[in-house]
Amino acid sequence: MKKRVLAMILTTALSALTLAGCGGGGSSTTGGSAAPATSGGGTAAAGGSFKIGAIGPMTGDGAAYGLAVVNGSKLAVDEINAAGGVNGFMLEHKGEDDELNNEKSMNAYNTLKDWGMQILVGPTTSGCTIAVSDLAHEDSMFLLTPSGTAVDCVKYDNAFRVCFSDPAQGTESAKYMAEKGIGSKYAVIYDSSDPYSSGIYESFNAEAAAQGLEIVSAEAFTSDSNKDFSVQLQKAKEGGADLVFLPIYYNQASLILKQAADMDYHPVFFGCDGMDGILTVENFDTSLTEGLILMTPFSADATDDLTVNFVKKYQEQFGEVPNQFAADAYDGVYAIKAAIEKKNLTPDMSTEKICKGLMEAFPEITISGLTSSSLSWDASGEPNKEPRIFAIEGGKYIVQ
Amino acid sequence: MLKTIGKKYGFYIVIVLFWLLMTLLGNAGMLTSHFSSLLVPMTYYAIAAVALNLCVGILGELSIGHAGFMCIGAFSGAIFSLLTKEVLPGGLRFFLAFVVGIAFAALFGFLIGIPVLRLKGDYLAIVTLAFGEIIKNVLQAVYLGVDAQGVHLSLDMTTFRMEPDGLTLIKGAQGVSGTPRNSSFTVGIIVLLLTLFLVHHLMDSRDGRAIMAIRDNRIAAEATGIHVTRYKMLAFTISAAIAGAAGVLFSHNVTTMTNISNYFNYNASIMLLVYVVLGGIGNINGSVIAAMILYLLPELMRGLNRYRMLIYAIVLILMMLVNWAPGVQERRRRLKAFLKTRLTRAGKEA
């Protein structure tokens, strides 16, 4: 009897699941994309509009980054539509959550594919981008990640990125330090459990050796022990380091600044693009950031028209000051617009054709955006732009 | 006769029917690509839940480190596949990857079992938690590669130097990437069926009864001459091995394992425990259903956008209450009895 009840419950549950699965298929307008890849991916979306998907963590730990990417790309799409679209075609936008998890990111990608996505702006983080790029490569879907920094993110020819790669950030940082002669002894505190942080450290370490920078201590922490940095700071202090390189995210950096000040240790701190956002940390004395140097592509304090306009609109719509993730995504959408115009692509083309067109167009375009005044791409997927270095003075980013 | 077969193998038949249905729908192009991408994770979380249920429900020892064994299986299977990617044909390689992943997970289960199974209850739970974290943290920090000079292993990226033609297998926090995507729904279902077959038969066997006797009353079991340590080790090792098989499926589905703390930390172990508790401790088939439903739930609620994780938590609480609160259980029992009398009466009248 018990078994029979169990079987009954199971059958009901399974049929419910099946219905749910089919329901999703029914609502999607593109029957072709639901079928296995052989059918040629998403065919034309109704109404002659390009469907652009965005993926990022919108809940949980990395929510700030994912929301910024989804919001930033949405803002660009809305602007472009208001100005008459791309060659007269409208853009459609949809964001999906990946919870900072490769597996869920693949699910998010497939959800967007069912929706009829033709171009992907995302995912937001490196691990997810690598996982999704496998799928995007199989499907010939054009992938432009705003902020996936790991080397492997753009290993396929259909994947491009807006940000600098991890090695580029580490190398540029070491070069800048050597060039400007900031500091004489260097310490590094990095997150060994984070691919972004350890990736930057790896290349920084190599370039520092080439430039003859003396690294007196390089201490790691992990995501499970990212609250107390007194040991790492003590080592840096004992080694006599006058510059501490922090290739980590701003929330941990804010704790490091606080704890360094508490132990009366005042070196120059130097961060990469993950440091962007440190002025927004709650309950944090931002005067501690005075003199902090960071390499980031975007400053919301910049006074050029494009940035002012972007920051104003973003604040109106989402109630926050945008960060570099939003700016990268915003530039990404405009780059796609430029590439579509260059090759006169139309939404009724197959996903493969659009992908091929964009792949050919990307190395040929140059755009002026928020993150660089002249942004262009290699065929390998890496962007060409000058690194931007800021120092924080009086709670504002000042260009160096 | 038919009844006993139905009783014994009914659940297998349901799973096979489920597989048949999904495969037919998939071939007919009626499944969305989102839904069909969920099928493989569903099977390996179901397998992992069965593994944990063997430890928690049958052996009666609370383990919150099973994601660690899954992690071992995932990494060893992935590394094997990377090494033999060019040498072996796909099917054979994937099969051997299973053998390697299961063997390593079983080995670690055995080694960890030696100190852990001396403890009981809360202490055991905490130590398994610690071992799960150790496994995850070591794999997150280690650099492993092979080149012409042999195998390189380092915990420090600055001393990790490889020949240019070398193959880097584990790259610290950047993890393992490039594993071939061999996992499919069919393979997942086959492994799930084998797992269920193994666990059900273990439970019906002499060894299984000894294990359950230890769970129910350790002293009485020992007094009847059951070698307690031996059977505990047996169950724990098998449980770890099955979790390893789930790990192999995982790594050959995700193909890129970076930021592994997202899948193999104690939260992941707790999630497996949630599947087990919701499906019923000791109820192997229940774990399979609970794992599948709970994995699907947040994915099918994508339409709710940012509220879905909140709603998922509420649904979880409700499901726990409906399934396991004594008051609700009593009410369900009465409703069932009422329906039964109604039905029999209706049957008689007809």
Side-chain angles (χ1 to χ4, degrees), chain B residues 106-117:
Chain B
L107 175 71
F108 275 83
F110 178 75
L111 292 176
I112 290 170
I114 295 170
V116 163
L117 292 173

Side-chain angles (χ1 to χ4, degrees), chain A residues 10 17-18 24-25 34 96-97 99-104 106-107 110-111 114 127 134 192-193 201 205 224, chain B residues 14 25 31-34 37-38 41 44-45 136 140 158 173 181 255-256 258 262-263 289 295 299 302 308:
Chain A
L10 188 74
L17 292 181
T18 322
E96 279 294 336
D97 181 18
E99 302 166 42
L100 203 63
N101 178 321
N102 298 3
E103 196 186 355
K104 304 272 172 163
M106 287 159 63
N107 294 343
N110 281 312
T111 311
D114 292 332
D134 269 347
S192 64
S193 66
Y201 168 60
N205 196 55
D224 299 319
Chain B
V14 172
L25 285 175
L31 290 182
T32 61
S33 37
H34 176 228
S37 74
L38 298 179
Y44 55 68
Y45 283 117
K136 181 203 85 191
Q140 212 165 38
T158 53
R181 189 190 307 282
T255 71
T256 306
T258 50
N262 283 339
Y263 333 103
I289 301 170
Y295 182 77
E299 285 296 334
R302 273 187 183 275
R308 70 194 178 103

Side-chain angles (χ1 to χ4, degrees), chain B residues 93-115:
Chain B
R93 185 194 57 223
F94 193 34
F95 175 74
L96 288 175
F98 266 108
V99 174
V100 171
I102 290 170
F104 269 92
L107 175 71
F108 275 83
F110 178 75
L111 292 176
I112 290 170
I114 295 170

